[in-house]
Amino acid sequence: MAILPITICGEPVLHRPAEPVTEFDDELRQLVDDMFETCEAAPGVGLAAPQVGVGKRIFVWMYDDQDEAPARGVAINPVLWIAPPEPGLPGEDEVEGCLSFPGERFALRRSPRALLRAVDIEGKPFEHEVTGWFARIMQHEFDHLNGLLYVDRLVHPENRGAQKAERKNGWGVPGLTWTPGIDDLEG
Ligand code: ZN
């Protein structure tokens, strides 16, 4: 097990669609173990493979708040169905963060419900129907597999804040990472 460096906005692997997983082998098992360890150390409620520099359709979640899905899990080659979000601007309780845009938070409206279908580490299909924060986490992580960060979805004026933060931090260029436990940052 190892804590992996987390890619920061601007690293190309975060901004392109990830590839499906085809081999369910020891290498995959190792990667997923390391993703759990990295997510826990960050700490985060979810982590997608592009965030550790791997362009594969994998994300993990660690969110122990309801019984719609296990408190931790891995989704491989997922598909996600969502109901359209309610129209209107996001409220203050809809603030999101991302380990690849660390230390910043912005409000974003998400769908209150999502249905996740994926396979597990053995390649076995499963599904979870989730609501509220769980649904938000699934949408956030699923976006990562399609090359989207939550900051790409922000609407005015939140998007201005994110652009400012990106400039201030010197992000938006390739090659930047931070490592939980080594660098003093948090998601
Ligand atoms: Zn993220």
Side-chain angles (χ1 to χ4, degrees), residues 17-187:
E19 300 287 330
V21 172
T22 54
E23 306 285 330
F24 292 79
D25 54 10
D26 285 347
E27 199 181 323
L28 177 67
R29 204 172 301 271
Q30 179 70 55
L31 172 63
V32 170
D33 282 352
D34 290 347
M35 285 173 64
F36 275 120
E37 190 172 349
T38 304
C39 188
E40 190 162 31
V45 292
L47 185 72
Q51 295 185 276
V52 293
V54 178
K56 289 282 165 77
R57 302 188 76 80
I58 307 164
F59 67 75
V60 300
W61 71 84
M62 305 181 82
Y63 183 63
D64 190 7
D65 201 36
Q66 47 189 313
D67 42 37
E68 294 169 345
R72 58 157 69 195
V74 56
I76 299 173
N77 299 340
V79 287
L80 193 76
W81 284 269
I82 59 169
E86 295 285 313
L89 292 174
E92 278 172 20
D93 56 342
E94 295 178 274
V95 168
E96 203 161 309
C98 178
L99 297 174
S100 294
F101 210 87
E104 306 287 345
R105 297 191 180 278
F106 299 98
L108 173 63
R109 181 137 290 189
R110 293 279 195 186
S111 173
R113 304 186 78 84
L115 172 65
L116 172 75
R117 280 194 186 141
V119 299
D120 67 13
I121 193 82
E122 315 288 345
K124 202 171 129 243
F126 68 89
E127 65 175 56
H128 295 302
E129 202 177 336
V130 290
T131 60
W133 270 95
F134 228 138
R136 178 180 293 271
I137 293 164
M138 298 299 185
Q139 289 166 78
H140 180 114
E141 300 310 327
F142 185 71
D143 272 354
H144 273 302
L145 306 186
N146 294 324
L148 269 183
L149 299 185
Y150 86 103
V151 290
D152 299 325
R153 289 191 179 276
L154 300 177
V155 297
H156 188 77
E158 297 290 304
N159 58 344
R160 296 282 293 275
Q163 282 158 11
K164 245 187 218 167
E166 188 175 323
R167 268 201 307 276
K168 180 192 76 190
N169 289 297
W171 298 337
V173 294
L176 298 177
T177 62
W178 70 282
T179 305
I182 295 176
D183 299 309
D184 187 21
L185 286 171
E186 57 178 71

